[in-house]
Amino acid sequence: MFKILKPNTSSFIEAVENLSNIYIGSSVSFLDKQTSIEDFDFCIISINECRGDQSDKNEIDFEEIKIQLYQLYKGNWNLSIIDLGILDAGESISDTYYAFQSIIKKVLGYNIIPIILGGSQDILYSQYRAYDGIKYMLNLANIDAKFDLGDSNVKMHNQSFLSHMIVQKPYNLFNYANVGYQTYLNSQEEINLLEKMFFEAYRLGEVSKNIESVEPTLRDADIVALDVTSIQSQSLGQDSLYPNGFDSREICALSRYAGISDKVSSFGLYELQHLTSNISKQLIAQVIWYFIEGVKFRLDEKADINNPNFIKYQVPVENDILVFYESQLSGRWWIEISSNFKDVNNKLNQHTLLPCDKQNYISACNQNIPERWVKARKKNEF
């Protein structure tokens, strides 16, 4: 399976192996015939596929991004990383999709978290499909200025992969959440369609005003993807991308939230072919660092109504009684979605705890039903 991957250059490997043990690079191993990958915490895989990019950019300096990461100091945690090398573009783009999907499925089977450095974001479709047969009903959070909904009737590209996720079998997408969309980059028809499907979309301004507001959404995701063009061009040190977007601190905070989530099992960074400045590569390295730190500080907190660390609150709102749970361990909040709706075929067939925050509880006490709860309940009804 891993034989199709192209190894890193010998000069790059030598540079990493010469790093002091205080740097992340000292915890990195490289794939060879003697390496068994089962015992690693993370794997880093680079996908050199850009044919889905409508701008025809196709050059990615993966080793420059990775050396920036490997030269960062370790945090107060232990970790082990295997660098799997590069998956070059196949003869056809569908060849790349198939190979990448197979590799990620294999890695997930080892309970290793893949950190994906990718080209055009249509590759995310294969990251999503790798979960087929592993987990039913996935939640995907995409940090992106655009919805990338596009037209499912035309060949998939980096601005249309979401429609293919929605319409192609097996239907395995329970929730899609866009974090940081910019309204003027998305048609009103797309905005309305996401609303009709009860998916989530958070405007850039709303998230920037209160970055903590999307922590529950990232906590609820199985897959987190980042389109690097959602970062403002100033923070990337180049003027070829969007003037508005997340700044360097905000994007690192979002990455850490994704890492802290006990549920997130893969993290993809896409559209790297657009990064040309040294600052942009340093920033992406730091984004990955914050994701790794988040993972290493996970609490493995079981979101269960019978968790003894949870305090239960019942709030009458209109004709419902909303049930909230607060963790005494982490201070995080959840709201219950009961499986006992009358005449409802609940997709998850269980009492589900939906991540929320304290503000949702306070709003419910003021007779305002949380929008995330409404959308999750409606999705369960179909």
Side-chain angles (χ1 to χ4, degrees):
M1 171 58 63
F2 299 113
K3 292 180 181 179
I4 61 176
L5 294 165
K6 183 176 74 176
N8 296 279
T9 63
S10 56
S11 58
F12 175 77
I13 293 174
E14 182 180 359
V16 175
E17 290 179 340
N18 287 333
L19 291 171
S20 166
N21 61 9
I22 60 176
Y23 298 109
I24 284 181
S26 65
S27 299
V28 174
S29 298
F30 295 95
L31 186 65
D32 57 35
K33 294 180 180 179
Q34 289 75 42
T35 305
S36 176
I37 76 166
E38 288 90 341
D39 298 325
F40 288 90
D41 299 314
F42 305 91
C43 76
I44 294 181
I45 178 171
S46 307
I47 315 299
N48 194 20
E49 176 61 82
C50 302
R51 281 175 286 187
D53 182 1
Q54 302 298 285
S55 68
D56 295 325
K57 293 181 179 291
N58 57 16
E59 294 295 328
I60 308 175
D61 191 346
F62 292 113
E63 291 189 350
E64 180 57 32
I65 294 171
K66 291 190 290 187
I67 197 64
Q68 295 289 348
L69 171 65
Y70 297 160
Q71 289 176 339
L72 296 176
Y73 288 103
K74 297 178 185 178
N76 186 26
W77 23 260
N78 296 316
L79 77 159
S80 59
I81 300 172
I82 183 161
D83 188 327
L84 296 179
I86 300 172
L87 177 65
D88 272 334
E91 184 174 342
S92 68
I93 196 167
S94 60
D95 292 334
T96 310
Y97 293 156
Y98 177 80
F100 177 53
Q101 177 179 330
S102 300
I103 291 169
I104 297 302
K105 182 180 286 289
K106 190 76 170 179
V107 168
L108 292 173
Y110 292 134
N111 292 318
I112 299 170
I113 298 176
I115 298 173
I116 299 151
L117 305 180
S120 53
Q121 202 179 6
D122 47 296
I123 305 169
L124 175 56
Y125 179 83
S126 296
Q127 181 182 349
Y128 158 71
R129 278 293 169 217
Y131 287 79
D132 290 349
I134 295 178
K135 185 169 184 181
Y136 176 63
M137 291 284 98
L138 291 168
N139 293 338
L140 167 61
N142 185 26
I143 303 168
D144 201 332
K146 298 180 179 181
F147 296 144
D148 299 322
L149 194 54
D151 185 351
S152 63
N153 294 316
V154 300
K155 184 177 179 181
M156 184 169 63
H157 54 78
N158 64 344
Q159 294 183 31
S160 69
F161 59 85
L162 178 57
S163 63
H164 290 262
M165 290 180 181
I166 294 168
V167 303
Q168 292 188 13
K169 297 180 179 179
Y171 305 126
N172 206 24
L173 183 63
F174 181 72
N175 187 49
Y176 173 82
N178 175 284
V179 177
Y181 81 94
Q182 299 178 37
T183 308
Y184 39 77
L185 298 178
N186 298 275
S187 71
Q188 191 59 50
E189 289 78 9
E190 289 179 316
I191 295 172
N192 293 340
L193 182 57
L194 257 67
E195 185 68 25
K196 288 180 181 178
M197 292 187 291
F198 309 115
F199 287 159
E200 297 176 76
Y202 300 90
R203 292 182 64 172
L204 172 65
E206 296 171 347
V207 182
S208 295
K209 188 183 301 181
N210 180 14
I211 200 78
E212 295 179 1
S213 65
V214 293
E215 182 277 328
T217 300
L218 295 171
R219 193 190 338 150
D220 197 34
D222 298 286
I223 300 170
V224 173
L226 166 60
D227 182 333
V228 300
T229 65
S230 66
I231 305 170
Q232 63 179 204
S233 57
Q234 182 178 1
S235 291
L236 293 171
Q238 55 189 76
D239 59 7
S240 57
L241 298 175
Y242 300 127
N244 283 310
F246 291 112
D247 66 28
S248 56
R249 293 182 180 88
E250 291 166 345
I251 203 65
C252 287
L254 292 173
S255 178
R256 194 173 190 276
Y257 283 143
I260 290 174
S261 165
D262 295 317
K263 192 175 178 182
V264 171
S265 54
S266 65
F267 183 48
L269 300 97
Y270 294 103
E271 302 294 335
L272 296 177
Q273 70 274 17
H274 293 281
L275 302 186
T276 57
S277 70
N278 188 53
I279 289 176
S280 67
K281 294 163 187 176
Q282 290 180 34
L283 178 56
I284 294 306
Q286 291 175 21
V287 167
I288 298 170
W289 189 97
Y290 274 102
F291 175 77
I292 292 172
E293 182 187 57
V295 172
K296 301 312 291 186
F297 282 106
R298 287 182 177 181
L299 297 173
D300 293 324
E301 186 170 49
K302 189 175 182 181
D304 187 278
I305 60 175
N306 297 313
N307 189 322
N309 292 316
F310 282 9
I311 301 174
K312 181 178 180 180
Y313 303 88
Q314 292 182 301
V315 182
V317 181
E318 297 180 359
N319 296 323
D320 285 300
I321 296 179
L322 303 187
V323 182
F324 290 85
Y325 295 86
E326 179 189 13
S327 169
Q328 299 177 79
L329 179 63
S330 65
R332 296 185 294 191
W333 288 75
W334 287 262
I335 184 172
E336 182 177 312
I337 303 175
S338 173
S339 63
N340 296 327
F341 304 139
K342 290 183 179 180
D343 302 319
V344 168
N345 178 22
N346 186 297
K347 288 182 180 179
L348 302 177
N349 295 315
Q350 60 186 352
H351 286 270
T352 303
L353 293 189
L354 180 72
C356 65
D357 58 21
K358 187 175 182 179
Q359 186 57 49
N360 291 136
Y361 166 72
I362 294 172
S363 296
C365 291
N366 292 322
Q367 299 300 292
N368 295 312
I369 298 177
E371 185 177 359
R372 291 199 75 226
W373 182 87
V374 173
K375 288 184 175 182
R377 176 168 173 171
K378 287 183 178 296
K379 281 199 292 285
N380 267 328
E381 295 175 356
F382 290 96

